[in-house]
Amino acid sequence: MGAEEKDLRDFKLQPMKCELNFLSKSDGSAILSQGDTVALVSVNGPLDIKSTSQSIEKSTLEILFCSKGGKPSVADRYKENVIRQTCEKAVLGCLYPRTGITITIQELEDFGGFLSCALNCACLALLNSGVSLRHVFACVTCGVDEKGEVVLGGRGCDTQISCVFDSIDKTLITCFSEGTYSEGTYLEAVARCRAASELVFAFYRDVVSKYSNAI
Amino acid sequence: MAEIYKLIHPVKYFNDYISRDIRPDGRKFHEQRNIKVNVNSLKTAEASAVVKCGNTTVVCGVQLELATPKAEEPELGFLVTNVELTPLCSSKYRPGPPSDNAQVQSYMLSDIFSNSKCIDLKDLCIVPDKLAWVVYCDIVCLDNDGSLVDACIIALMASLKTLSLPTVTYDPETEEIKVDPDVRTPLKVDGCPVATSFAVYKLTERNILLTDPSAYEEEMCGGLGAHFTVCLNKGLICGNHKFGGSHLLMENQEEVLKIAKERANLVVKVIDSCIKNEKSIDK
Amino acid sequence: MPLDYRRFNGPEDSVSYKRFTKDYLKSYSELYNNLIDEKGRRKDGRALEEARSMCMFFARTDMVSQAKGSAYIELKKTKAVCSVFDPREIPHQNEFSQLGQLFCEVKFAPFSCPNQRRTHAPDADEKALSVALRQALEPTVCRHLFPNYQIDVFVYILENDGSCLAAAINAAGLALANAAVPMYDIITACSVAVIGEKMFVDPTEAEEHLAMMTPEKEGTNHGIITMSMLSELKQVSDFTQIGSMDTDCVTKAIEILEKECENIVPNIQKVLVLNVVQCIEQRKQLEEEAKEREQALNAKMEEWKQLLNSG
């Protein structure tokens, strides 16, 4: 345990700032900045959707990703898919059959690590919207520097590994990476991210408790 | 009888197999399907490969074009990869522009490929700032029975390894371009990324990894496409995509890396022996 | 053209390198002379009236595991894959349609054509081929058996070396039969390219290209005719002609095509019969295995019974 505690103290994530209920019209929204990267997410639902996309077993998640320039691209679809699959694991969809939940993500500033910021922001917006969740999730990014050492945050590194963990068992839900790295680096990065996810969860708790005190 | 059971109780049917440590198609959990590779079967493309992994069939065709390089990167050529999920490969796809799933597959492929750095785009430049090759790699799926990215990467690498570029002479004064298609230099390919897909199935408290899942298995494990794809190039990981499916534990990951390594060696051997065979036939 | 944001795009101004090779610009007569050698044979060694149906024809079914029925056809270099799916309700339709409908789509692979890259968006060529394919197939399928439903027929051309429509129709007919869609007859198709006095049966891409070009001398016959036939019923289900030619020429072409269409029938029949034989064998094997398993189970049952009775 001692080693882990020491690790935790050494960890420095990008400074995070968040405001819940940033948008007045949506059911839930959050704006999150991790360092210079800023994402805005709104959640609407459960709502009625057209019958072709309804599912009798669970609610359908619709993810809309708007990049800063506004032009859609293939990379955006990939990001949407990552966010959809991650949220689908977290949302208790079976409580809302035949409905749709729409999650809209707007990219405001991207100075690296946008996808991990968007995932964390989506989680906060889901919390804010009051949709039932199985667990919350946290995304942490690790970089690998020139010497092959794993650095948390790791902005500007060519190689980046991002992992999403759930809050209950700390198991890996989603993982995506950039660049090449060795096997050992990978396992180390996952372990580091897992430990650091604790910080993100603490941040969530902090944000939500402050928000609920305010209301 | 089994067919009816499968229709009425799809989950139970699948569970019954998995709890007996076997998959519905008779494979063990970590058994892969047979891989068949055939290169240069299409004569209209500069280089081509047909790959079959079990039932999954993909065809890759490479075409060459010339263009001026981008102003911001005057020394780089272009390599464009696209995955086409034709409506004929599965009843899930409709004709029209690529679906979201097709775009995700396309992105994963090009991401893995660019991360592996197996082709130096500088090799594709002929005259900096004036002329460069554009290599269009179109990968068409004829039959989608799961683990699509694995098959696509094999097809792409097999065709790029057989690709050779015609000689081009460029006159800087008149800007005249002459191409001699008879004198060709092969393209330098450094390494060979190999992807291995897994589906993660949760059976009560056990996490089960299915190597090289079929379309049916992918569906049963929830969601579209394989859940976990690891890509190795020369022993280094150059792509790691995991989304959907069940959660992964730490020991699962070590297992995955071991299997992926074995498979990478096997696939590289298959591709090389296939190209060698083809060459010996040509002679 | 608007940028396709659903795909990765190359630079806009890229051109095929073949435009800069020596062979790119050739006059009409040069091209014409290239088609036939001194002995009056075509480039691939065929005589003028010889189709690829006899020796260079390859067909098989069950190509695509996910489809209900599928077929693959190879005419030397021309390669086409076709798959047919289960009938489904016609989407976005208000009226009840008495007859079932066929939805056909012919698509070329981006790398299928020798000279330039095909765009991903469906072009006029593909649309025309799709319509022609639907018209050819409609009379063969018993459409009254599935009212208000549609059957999807998708054809993908991997390599184009002429006679695409004929290959598509042959493949689609075979795939429909493989999918057990009720049909009146086996459908076969063939095409002919007319250049002046000469008729190229089952033309290659180069021959088709030349037939489509306007000849130097005005008034000469040129063009392509594709005809599909139901051979047993002696009916023509589709007749497509491009280019201009006089009536004598057309009637002569029809005669040739009729003969050729019938020549293909045995090939198709062979594939279908082989298919049925295989199916029966497979079923026999499955039945035997099931019997064995049942016997084993029964034996176990007896054992348990004895155990229970004795204990």
Side-chain angles (χ1 to χ4, degrees):
Chain A
M1 205 59 209
E4 212 166 276
E5 264 168 32
K6 186 180 153 274
D7 269 356
L8 266 180
R9 238 177 295 125
D10 288 347
F11 283 162
K12 270 214 184 92
L13 287 170
Q14 300 278 340
M16 293 195 281
K17 281 185 202 145
C18 172
E19 192 181 331
L20 289 181
N21 232 358
F22 188 75
L23 304 169
S24 57
K25 297 282 185 195
S26 61
D27 292 342
S29 61
I31 182 166
L32 176 71
S33 71
Q34 290 188 330
D36 299 328
T37 305
V38 189
L40 170 65
V41 176
S42 89
V43 175
N44 282 306
L47 295 166
D48 199 21
I49 46 164
K50 58 176 194 286
S51 54
T52 45
S53 46
Q54 275 180 12
S55 157
I56 51 163
E57 280 177 347
K58 53 178 193 207
S59 69
T60 314
L61 276 186
E62 257 178 65
I63 314 283
L64 292 169
F65 186 96
C66 310
S67 59
K68 202 176 170 191
K71 266 192 192 152
S73 73
V74 183
D76 291 354
R77 296 290 92 69
Y78 173 76
K79 286 175 192 160
E80 272 179 15
N81 186 48
V82 171
I83 295 168
R84 174 183 303 114
Q85 304 259 19
T86 310
C87 291
E88 226 159 58
K89 283 272 117 189
V91 173
L92 257 173
C94 53
L95 290 183
Y96 322 101
R98 291 176 193 277
T99 56
I101 297 173
T102 317
I103 302 176
T104 315
I105 298 125
Q106 173 67 51
E107 172 187 343
L108 292 176
E109 293 294 341
D110 183 6
F111 289 94
F114 179 76
L115 192 47
S116 87
C117 179
L119 276 162
N120 289 337
C121 193
C123 182
L124 283 163
L126 279 169
L127 277 174
N128 182 232
S129 73
V131 173
S132 301
L133 301 177
R134 270 189 202 95
H135 50 72
V136 288
F137 52 87
C139 180
V140 185
T141 303
C142 267
V144 181
D145 64 11
E146 294 84 29
K147 283 175 248 156
E149 305 243 326
V150 180
V151 211
L152 266 185
R155 256 181 217 160
C157 294
D158 282 344
T159 303
Q160 290 190 349
I161 306 163
S162 307
C163 303
V164 182
F165 297 97
D166 73 279
S167 55
I168 304 169
D169 303 325
K170 306 279 178 314
T171 46
L172 186 72
I173 312 176
T174 304
C175 179
F176 47 92
S177 67
E178 256 172 60
T180 53
Y181 43 89
S182 72
E183 220 175 285
T185 318
Y186 168 68
L187 293 175
E188 195 189 334
V190 174
R192 283 262 191 142
C193 288
R194 174 171 292 142
S197 66
E198 210 46 62
L199 293 180
V200 182
F201 290 128
F203 172 75
Y204 286 175
R205 248 171 255 134
D206 196 37
V207 168
V208 173
S209 67
K210 265 186 201 151
Y211 176 73
S212 45
N213 282 341
I215 43 175
Chain B
M1 193 57 200
E3 282 300 304
I4 302 168
Y5 183 35
K6 183 178 169 183
L7 267 180
I8 299 174
H9 284 296
V11 179
K12 210 161 159 254
Y13 173 84
F14 194 67
N15 267 343
D16 278 356
Y17 272 104
I18 299 296
S19 56
R20 280 170 182 75
D21 284 342
I22 194 135
R23 292 153 75 167
D25 53 5
R27 281 189 285 164
K28 301 218 178 61
F29 289 157
H30 292 317
E31 209 174 314
Q32 305 152 20
R33 294 175 287 184
N34 290 338
I35 305 170
K36 285 178 202 154
V37 185
N38 187 359
V39 288
N40 275 341
S41 37
L42 301 177
K43 298 289 173 263
T44 45
E46 293 301 322
S48 64
V50 183
V51 171
K52 263 187 102 129
C53 291
N55 278 329
T56 304
T57 315
V58 292
V59 182
C60 175
V62 179
Q63 282 188 310
L64 293 172
E65 294 198 353
L66 291 168
T68 35
K70 274 191 225 159
E72 58 265 36
E73 294 163 335
E75 285 182 349
L76 298 187
F78 304 87
L79 198 141
V80 187
T81 55
N82 271 305
V83 178
E84 191 88 352
L85 290 176
T86 53
L88 63 86
C89 70
S90 167
S91 53
K92 279 181 235 151
Y93 308 117
R94 295 271 164 259
S99 63
D100 285 358
N101 185 28
Q103 291 177 53
V104 171
Q105 307 280 3
S106 248
Y107 181 83
M108 270 172 73
L109 179 81
S110 96
D111 189 57
I112 289 171
F113 184 73
S114 58
N115 275 336
S116 74
K117 300 198 183 71
C118 54
I119 296 232
D120 191 358
L121 289 181
K122 278 182 191 149
D123 292 344
L124 296 176
C125 185
I126 302 162
V127 183
D129 207 21
K130 294 285 180 214
L131 200 63
W133 285 112
V134 189
V135 182
Y136 285 102
C137 310
D138 291 281
I139 298 147
V140 174
C141 173
L142 293 182
D143 190 347
N144 183 4
D145 194 17
S147 313
L148 190 64
V149 173
D150 301 16
C152 288
I153 290 269
I154 300 175
L156 178 64
M157 289 321 296
S159 45
L160 283 178
K161 279 191 174 192
T162 52
L163 178 68
S164 54
L165 304 169
T167 19
V168 180
T169 39
Y170 179 81
D171 191 332
E173 273 168 25
T174 54
E175 299 207 331
E176 197 188 1
I177 304 165
K178 259 190 201 147
V179 180
D180 187 356
D182 298 325
V183 187
R184 284 168 177 266
T185 43
L187 182 68
K188 253 184 261 159
V189 182
D190 180 28
C192 175
V194 176
T196 313
S197 292
F198 300 89
V200 195
Y201 190 70
K202 194 167 184 169
L203 185 79
T204 53
E205 286 310 302
R206 262 170 84 202
N207 250 345
I208 289 165
L209 285 168
L210 305 174
T211 314
D212 195 11
S214 68
Y216 169 70
E217 285 161 351
E218 282 179 0
E219 205 180 304
M220 288 312 294
C221 296
L224 290 159
H227 306 303
F228 190 19
T229 306
V230 184
C231 194
L232 286 163
N233 181 24
K234 298 193 292 187
L236 288 177
I237 304 174
C238 59
N240 187 335
H241 301 261
K242 150 96 176 78
F243 30 77
S246 192
H247 302 176
L248 267 188
L249 302 171
M250 210 58 191
E251 61 260 27
N252 290 144
Q253 294 177 26
E254 279 158 25
E255 199 183 330
V256 159
L257 289 173
K258 209 180 108 213
I259 297 167
K261 243 194 235 164
E262 276 168 23
R263 185 174 146 104
N265 291 336
L266 177 87
V267 170
V268 171
K269 254 185 231 159
V270 169
I271 295 178
D272 285 344
S273 65
C274 170
I275 293 172
K276 220 195 243 164
N277 275 346
E278 168 75 16
K279 273 188 190 146
S280 61
I281 290 168
D282 273 359
K283 278 170 196 167
Chain C
M1 216 179 85
L3 197 67
D4 186 353
Y5 55 82
R6 292 190 183 92
R7 288 190 179 89
F8 293 107
N9 297 293
E12 270 172 44
D13 56 346
S14 75
V15 280
S16 177
Y17 77 89
K18 283 176 185 146
R19 188 163 295 182
F20 305 107
T21 53
K22 274 179 279 168
D23 309 337
Y24 186 68
L25 285 174
K26 273 190 178 168
S27 67
Y28 187 87
S29 54
E30 261 180 325
L31 281 173
Y32 185 77
N33 292 335
N34 265 352
L35 293 182
I36 306 170
D37 62 10
E38 307 84 52
K39 290 173 211 145
R41 292 227 152 220
R42 293 203 256 170
K43 248 204 160 163
D44 49 5
R46 286 185 284 157
L48 273 185
E49 272 89 48
E50 195 183 338
R52 287 177 282 194
S53 62
M54 301 322 283
C55 48
M56 302 164 191
F57 184 91
F58 174 78
R60 60 162 292 189
T61 52
D62 292 325
M63 265 290 284
V64 182
S65 62
Q66 308 289 310
K68 176 94 174 157
S70 55
Y72 171 77
I73 278 206
E74 206 169 276
L75 296 168
K76 184 106 186 185
K77 276 204 224 152
T78 302
K79 298 179 180 73
V81 190
C82 174
S83 58
V84 173
F85 289 96
D86 282 318
R88 60 185 181 111
E89 225 167 304
I90 304 172
H92 318 296
Q93 152 149 323
N94 304 326
E95 273 175 57
F96 182 83
S97 83
Q98 208 70 60
L99 288 175
Q101 285 181 9
L102 289 175
F103 176 85
C104 298
E105 197 201 46
V106 180
K107 193 122 187 66
F108 286 97
F111 45 80
S112 62
C113 295
N115 285 324
Q116 105 237 34
R117 206 177 113 83
R118 285 242 166 206
T119 54
H120 287 284
D123 56 5
D125 246 9
E126 287 173 356
K127 278 181 194 157
L129 281 176
S130 304
V131 171
L133 177 63
R134 200 192 72 226
Q135 283 168 345
L137 292 180
E138 268 176 355
T140 31
V141 177
C142 309
R143 292 198 293 144
H144 59 279
L145 291 178
F146 49 102
N148 217 27
Y149 271 74
Q150 80 170 32
I151 294 181
D152 292 330
V153 180
F154 298 114
V155 178
Y156 202 79
I157 293 170
L158 286 173
E159 193 169 348
N160 173 12
D161 192 29
S163 314
C164 278
L165 182 57
I169 293 173
N170 285 333
L174 201 53
L176 281 168
N178 183 227
V181 173
M183 285 158 82
Y184 294 108
D185 198 0
I186 292 173
I187 181 169
T188 50
C190 192
S191 59
V192 67
V194 181
I195 306 170
E197 294 300 301
K198 292 208 167 66
M199 287 206 185
F200 296 82
V201 178
D202 201 1
T204 61
E205 213 271 335
E207 289 156 3
E208 270 188 357
H209 181 69
L210 197 70
M212 296 290 284
M213 274 163 66
T214 332
E216 280 158 348
K217 210 165 52 177
E218 253 182 62
T220 36
N221 295 334
H222 72 100
I224 303 167
I225 298 178
T226 306
M227 190 167 87
S228 66
M229 278 201 51
L230 310 177
S231 52
E232 206 63 36
L233 298 170
K234 290 264 174 287
Q235 281 177 351
V236 174
S237 69
D238 184 51
F239 182 85
T240 316
Q241 183 202 331
I242 312 169
S244 75
M245 52 196 89
D246 50 36
T247 42
D248 289 347
C249 177
V250 174
T251 39
K252 200 178 145 207
I254 289 177
E255 263 169 44
I256 295 175
L257 286 174
E258 200 182 329
K259 213 175 78 217
E260 262 330 301
C261 280
E262 265 175 43
N263 281 342
I264 302 173
V265 177
N267 282 321
I268 303 264
Q269 276 169 339
K270 208 167 85 190
V271 176
L272 287 175
V273 169
L274 209 72
N275 204 8
V276 173
V277 170
Q278 267 171 2
C279 262
I280 291 173
E281 268 171 17
Q282 222 166 27
R283 178 158 292 182
K284 251 189 209 158
Q285 209 184 340
L286 278 179
E287 264 170 18
E288 259 166 42
E289 275 171 22
K291 238 181 227 165
E292 262 172 44
R293 239 174 287 150
E294 209 165 308
Q295 268 170 359
L297 276 177
N298 281 341
K300 257 240 163 100
M301 195 77 147
E302 289 298 319
E303 227 173 86
W304 284 343
K305 260 188 200 161
Q306 269 175 1
L307 268 177
L308 273 177
N309 289 342
S310 63

